[in-house]
Amino acid sequence: MHEQEVEIRVVSSLREITAQDWDACACPEAADGGRPDDPFTTYRFLSALETSGSVGAGTGWQPQYLTALIDGQLIGVAPMYVKSHSQGEYIFDHNWAHAYERAGGRYYPKLQIAVPHTPATGRRFLVRPDFEETGTAALVQGAVQLAQNNNISSLHVTFCTGGEAERAADMGLMLRKTQQFHWENHGYADFDGFLASLSSRKRKNIRKERAQAQAFGGTIRTYTGDDLQPEHWDAFWRFYQDTGARKWGTPYLTRRFFDIAQETLRDDMALVLAERDGVPVAGALNFIGGQALYGRYWGCTEHHPCLHFELCYYQAIDIAIARGLDRVEAGAQGEHKLARGYLPRPTWSLHWVGDPGFQDAIARYLEAERDAVDEEISVLTEYGPFRRAKVEEQE
């Protein structure tokens, strides 16, 4: 069979690609109007980041979207950025950068294939159906070639799927294993059904935490779709600024992102607000995928016992059960999630480094890190909140 020639191009703005073409690669399952499996690689989400100035000039995330074409037809894309720092990635390589620069190298700029500011697993090599093998290989090779041709130190593909990790590792990229805490829906009819799967002590503790949270003096409501209104984003922006200032120094997303989200992303979002006398005092923002709910941001203007756990973890479980979703992915870090029903699950990234000596050192580090992550996942799962029979069943 004659092998088709794939052309690789880089474009600096999504305005150079139509939403229809991008989404035919990113979320073909939504072609009939259904919900995308991954809300973060859709044209509308990535475009909101770009149009709002959350990526682009001055952010350290310069778009260089990778495209693959056969006979002029777009068959694959990848959300690629030139990075001048390592912020907003949640897969930490600061030590690599420091080591390389101490040795006289120049680590930045680097290439990053990722969804900016979003530690959620999903496809990173977005290929039309029937072109998976050809398109993925072309995008991987094209990204590495771009790094080599431009004397860029490294390429990083973060929060890719396990299948992508396996294929790209076979092509020579280095594999990194990390972990997150996810809640998984085992067909629970309601929150009480989930509680019944826990040990007695953990079950009592969660009921106590929910009661404490509900006693903050107001009501908790979830807004999505047309129920979301501009004033909700005014309130959430205050929460987000407070959290962003404490965690990152400055928030990653601009205020305009939330205005654009109101117009184009409101069906993809579930905003949980704690309100007293009609005034929001805390909130948690989730994104809705085809099989998962993704917890993203939390903030408050008042501190109340257990309100963070309620809005971020327990309300998310309620939403997932009500919508029949398979899981809740609660974002990066946080062993405190374990006691609340969220178990450790592996996450994957891929790395290419141009300097052979540096690559060898990182490869050895990653091998040891994978063993350590496996051990940590095993230990944490063993000490999880589920009744013993339940843990054995999940394993």
Side-chain angles (χ1 to χ4, degrees):
M1 180 179 173
H2 177 66
E3 197 168 297
Q4 294 175 291
E5 185 173 321
V6 182
E7 179 187 3
I8 295 293
R9 294 181 191 167
V10 173
V11 300
S12 59
S13 172
L14 281 177
R15 290 188 294 273
E16 299 180 49
I17 306 173
T18 68
Q20 184 178 9
D21 278 345
W22 181 280
D23 285 344
C25 300
C27 52
E29 71 280 357
D32 60 356
R35 186 175 294 284
D37 287 339
D38 183 352
F40 302 115
T41 51
T42 60
Y43 188 94
R44 57 183 177 264
F45 182 85
L46 295 170
S47 177
L49 291 178
E50 184 184 316
T51 305
S52 68
S54 301
V55 301
T59 68
W61 289 86
Q62 195 60 42
Q64 294 285 280
Y65 305 107
L66 200 60
T67 68
L69 303 96
I70 292 179
D71 296 331
Q73 181 193 24
L74 192 70
I75 62 130
V77 294
M80 189 169 74
Y81 301 83
V82 176
K83 292 294 306 293
S84 59
H85 54 63
S86 291
Q87 304 301 317
E89 296 168 9
Y90 304 93
I91 299 293
F92 301 111
D93 65 348
H94 300 89
N95 290 341
W96 301 0
H98 294 156
Y100 194 53
E101 289 172 358
R102 280 197 303 270
R106 183 168 175 250
Y107 194 74
Y108 302 108
K110 62 179 183 175
L111 290 181
Q112 190 86 20
I113 294 178
V115 178
H117 325 309
T118 307
T121 292
R123 288 189 306 131
R124 295 295 173 258
F125 303 105
L126 310 170
V127 181
R128 283 182 190 261
D130 301 325
F131 291 94
E132 287 89 353
E133 191 172 334
T134 301
T136 300
L139 290 169
V140 172
Q141 293 165 356
V144 170
Q145 193 68 53
L146 278 165
Q148 290 174 325
N149 291 350
N150 292 280
N151 294 316
I152 291 173
S153 71
S154 53
L155 163 71
H156 309 268
V157 183
T158 42
F159 294 102
C160 61
T161 66
E164 287 178 320
E166 191 175 318
R167 284 195 296 273
D170 287 342
M171 295 175 65
L173 273 66
M174 294 182 290
L175 180 62
R176 190 172 193 182
K177 187 175 190 177
T178 47
Q179 62 152 311
Q180 287 183 340
F181 292 88
H182 298 170
W183 177 85
E184 294 176 353
N185 185 0
H186 296 281
Y188 302 121
D190 51 27
F191 197 90
D192 282 341
F194 156 62
L195 287 180
S197 69
L198 303 181
S199 67
S200 175
R201 186 168 62 87
K202 297 298 185 184
R203 185 163 59 242
K204 289 176 182 175
N205 185 63
I206 289 176
R207 284 187 172 133
K208 181 180 177 182
E209 286 186 345
R210 296 205 81 174
Q212 283 182 301
Q214 296 283 350
F216 80 99
T219 58
I220 296 172
R221 287 191 57 189
T222 297
Y223 297 89
T224 188
D226 291 340
D227 289 338
L228 280 166
Q229 297 299 319
E231 58 265 26
H232 296 137
W233 299 118
D234 291 335
F236 190 74
W237 175 247
R238 292 194 295 274
F239 306 149
Y240 177 68
Q241 278 186 302
D242 175 67
T243 301
R246 284 185 287 105
K247 276 192 170 185
W248 317 302
T250 54
Y252 291 140
L253 302 176
T254 65
R255 177 64 181 85
R256 193 176 175 214
F257 173 86
F258 295 100
D259 291 333
I260 296 171
Q262 171 64 22
E263 295 302 314
T264 64
L265 298 170
R266 63 182 183 270
D267 289 336
D268 299 326
M269 299 186 297
L271 178 61
V272 182
L273 292 177
E275 302 169 330
R276 192 173 54 249
D277 299 325
V279 178
V281 299
L285 179 60
N286 305 276
F287 279 77
I288 309 164
Q291 281 110 33
L293 187 75
Y294 301 90
R296 288 304 301 113
Y297 300 107
W298 142 268
C300 63
T301 52
E302 297 178 5
H303 295 276
H304 296 276
C306 300
L307 196 57
H308 171 258
F309 299 147
E310 175 65 24
L311 267 58
C312 293
Y313 307 137
Y314 303 142
Q315 290 286 326
I317 290 172
D318 280 335
I319 294 168
I321 291 173
R323 288 179 169 267
L325 298 173
D326 293 341
R327 65 191 184 280
V328 177
E329 297 193 15
Q333 289 105 43
E335 289 185 11
H336 60 279
K337 298 167 186 170
L338 187 68
R340 289 156 188 99
Y342 291 71
L343 290 178
R345 292 292 179 256
T347 51
W348 306 98
S349 60
L350 294 156
H351 306 272
W352 172 90
V353 172
D355 183 288
F358 190 42
Q359 175 166 315
D360 185 55
I362 289 178
R364 291 196 305 271
Y365 169 83
L366 292 178
E367 184 177 3
E369 185 185 46
R370 286 194 296 272
D371 290 342
V373 169
D374 284 339
E375 176 66 19
E376 186 174 16
I377 289 176
S378 177
V379 170
L380 289 173
T381 301
E382 178 71 19
Y383 285 95
F386 292 90
R387 287 187 285 114
R388 183 57 44 215
K390 190 66 180 177
V391 172
E392 291 169 357
E393 177 188 311
Q394 288 179 339
E395 290 173 349

